[in-house]
Amino acid sequence: MALTHRDYEVFRGDPASLPLAMAEAYAAIHPQPDVLRVAKLQQQVIGCYAMHSPESSQSDRKPAQFELGMVMVLDAYQRQGVGRWLVGHAIGVAESKGGRELLVPLPGPVDFFQGLGFRQIPSGFRYVMSPE
């Protein structure tokens, strides 16, 4: 049975509650991200993302840049929209905090990020948020 976004919820995460592979990936990010969100299905963490918010206030001319340091979904739940939902959630969190760009300094997966509207740049991917 395929999952829908209504089958799981996204919460603020605690690094201590992450499955081992996610905890190791999270611990490898330096400096540590200040935003960690987890997707849970029946109280089990099935995916997560970690994001850095801007370190200092930005001028009105320069967009506030957030950086997505990791997105991870357990193997059993991949290709069911969980990663897509998590990245969309990250975009929403960044935008609600005044973000105008979301950078992803990861090599891929290219099709995944481009399918979500990110543009490939030399350092990874970039998503520009349009103010309403």
Side-chain angles (χ1 to χ4, degrees), residues 3-6 8-13 18-19 22 35-41 44-51 67-75 77-95 102 104 112-113 116 118 127 129:
L3 291 176
T4 71
H5 67 272
R6 290 186 178 97
Y8 52 88
E9 296 180 84
V10 178
F11 298 95
R12 290 179 189 261
L18 295 174
M22 290 180 196
V35 177
L36 175 64
R37 299 293 187 267
V38 297
K40 288 186 176 182
L41 175 66
Q44 177 191 0
V45 174
I46 62 170
C48 71
Y49 71 84
M51 184 168 61
E67 184 177 288
L68 192 60
M70 71 176 278
V71 179
M72 212 169 171
V73 177
L74 293 178
D75 290 345
Y77 299 97
Q78 290 183 5
R79 301 203 175 280
Q80 297 186 53
V82 179
R84 177 179 291 274
W85 183 257
L86 286 169
V87 173
H89 191 276
I91 292 168
V93 168
E95 193 169 32
L102 181 57
V104 183
F112 174 75
F113 286 110
L116 294 171
F118 286 78
Y127 184 87
M129 298 166 214

